[in-house]
Amino acid sequence: MGWRYLMFTLGAITLGVFFLRFVLFRFKESPKFLVYRGRDEKAVGVLQYIAKFNGMPSNITLDAFEALTNEHNSLQSGTDLLGTGAKQLHSTFAEKVKIELVRYKMLFDGWQMTRLTVLVWLTYICDFWGFTVAGTFLPTILALKNGALNLSLTFTYRTYVYIFLPGIVGVVLGTMMYAIPAIGRKWTMVISSGLMGASIFIFSAVNNEASNIGLNIMEYFFQSMFNAVLYGWTPEVFPAPIRGTACGVASFWGRLFGIVSPIIAQSLVPVEGFHGSPQAINSVLYLAGGVTLGCVIWTALLPNSRVGAQSM
């Protein structure tokens, strides 16, 4: 029943979070998104809610929004803003499909945007590939390495607590590094991904109790820091009209390669498993560490300017 109790516990936690997210914490939609979808009335309602929550008066009204729409009702402005306002509400299905396709086209609108889009995709691919392979095989590898040191399976499970807890600190540290001008988001990702990959390579070269715990702590710590910054930075760097599209497509590529990567890594393991070929352990670790270091290259090549900073 042990593993069943584990599934029951995880399922209960997941359902609890689902309940909190959709019942207790009623999050509001972004006013920018509502405006781009032509739902001005709801956008005004959200802005008034925010003002009320912060104890501030709000002079924003639906009439003010409609006045802005009347000032910018030319065909060209409607195209630039991807069919916003009343125009989108009265669009046909075919016109709405065309509007959505324009969003994808905007991901490659000029050299700077194309460069940003491709580098973000490559970063997500390497990130998901690396940490999926590591997450899939590291528990088995850690158990085998500890077994070779005559350390019990109970000890191995206990070390997981030591490994994962510092990840919380990694997330907090990553957010704090935002405020350091000389480092910022870009170099936080470069540094954290480099140290994440380095820890995996070093782990393949040594085997003692301290290194098995310390290097895995280091890997998860910097993995947590990197992902915290990456997930917060991605929607920030793209212009508002395509922010959701950019994040969704990047996540798609990451998830796709996250599915494929363990299959590729498994091909490096002989039929008899890791027990039959200790070198296979290093092969898997080299794959995870090498691909993770790809994040260093792609994030270092990211443009320094924030493409979406001045967007609506």
Side-chain angles (χ1 to χ4, degrees):
M1 291 297 295
W3 68 269
R4 291 184 172 88
Y5 290 141
L6 174 62
M7 294 296 104
F8 295 154
T9 302
L10 294 177
I13 292 173
T14 304
L15 287 175
V17 173
F18 174 85
F19 176 82
L20 292 174
R21 168 62 181 84
F22 289 99
V23 179
L24 187 60
F25 299 107
R26 302 301 296 264
F27 294 103
K28 300 293 182 180
E29 185 55 85
S30 164
K32 290 181 180 180
F33 172 82
L34 294 172
V35 168
Y36 279 114
R37 290 298 184 182
R39 297 154 66 183
D40 293 356
E41 186 174 356
K42 287 191 175 182
V44 171
V46 172
L47 291 171
Q48 292 175 344
Y49 172 84
I50 294 172
K52 181 180 178 181
F53 183 87
N54 290 283
M56 301 291 291
S58 174
N59 297 321
I60 299 175
T61 63
L62 184 59
D63 291 338
F65 271 61
E66 291 176 349
L68 290 173
T69 301
N70 293 331
E71 291 177 12
H72 300 277
N73 59 359
S74 68
L75 178 63
Q76 182 61 35
S77 66
T79 303
D80 290 342
L81 295 179
L82 304 177
T84 60
K87 291 183 179 180
Q88 184 170 345
L89 292 177
H90 296 92
S91 299
T92 64
F93 177 77
E95 289 172 337
K96 290 180 179 179
V97 171
K98 185 177 179 181
I99 288 171
E100 294 305 318
L101 292 177
V102 170
R103 296 180 190 276
Y104 291 93
K105 183 179 179 182
M106 287 183 66
L107 291 173
F108 303 95
D109 186 16
W111 162 246
Q112 277 288 79
M113 184 60 71
T114 301
R115 173 189 173 192
L116 174 66
T117 299
V118 172
L119 289 175
V120 168
W121 287 0
L122 290 172
T123 300
Y124 270 76
I125 288 171
C126 290
D127 179 38
F128 276 72
W129 181 308
F131 77 67
T132 302
V133 171
T136 302
F137 291 94
L138 273 180
T140 302
I141 293 173
L142 185 61
L144 289 173
K145 284 196 166 193
N146 283 344
L149 298 172
N150 296 318
L151 299 173
S152 68
L153 189 60
T154 301
F155 174 85
T156 300
Y157 276 111
R158 188 165 61 246
T159 59
Y160 291 155
V161 179
Y162 307 148
I163 291 170
F164 294 134
L165 276 180
I168 300 173
V169 182
V171 172
V172 175
L173 182 59
T175 59
M176 292 174 63
M177 293 177 73
Y178 265 42
I180 303 176
I183 301 178
R185 297 150 177 77
K186 174 179 176 177
W187 293 108
T188 299
M189 291 191 288
V190 171
I191 295 169
S192 57
S193 58
L195 292 173
M196 176 170 57
S199 65
I200 297 176
F201 275 105
I202 299 172
F203 179 61
S204 68
V206 296
N207 184 29
N208 56 65
E209 182 179 334
S211 66
N212 288 351
I213 297 176
L215 290 171
N216 277 279
I217 288 176
M218 179 178 170
E219 190 277 334
Y220 193 73
F221 178 90
F222 289 109
Q223 178 192 126
S224 301
M225 179 188 294
F226 178 82
N227 286 329
V229 178
L230 178 66
Y231 298 157
W233 168 85
T234 305
E236 180 184 74
V237 77
F238 284 96
I242 58 170
R243 196 164 286 164
T245 302
C247 293
V249 175
S251 182
F252 161 77
W253 287 118
R255 296 294 177 185
L256 177 63
F257 280 83
I259 294 171
V260 173
S261 58
I263 301 174
I264 297 175
Q266 185 63 41
S267 66
L268 301 175
V269 182
V271 177
E272 59 272 22
F274 288 124
H275 294 282
S277 176
Q279 184 58 35
I281 293 178
N282 287 344
S283 298
V284 171
L285 292 176
Y286 293 157
L287 175 64
V291 175
T292 299
L293 290 178
C295 293
V296 179
I297 300 173
W298 310 133
T299 52
L301 293 174
L302 286 169
N304 290 318
S305 59
R306 292 161 57 191
V307 177
Q310 301 302 321
S311 303
M312 284 184 62

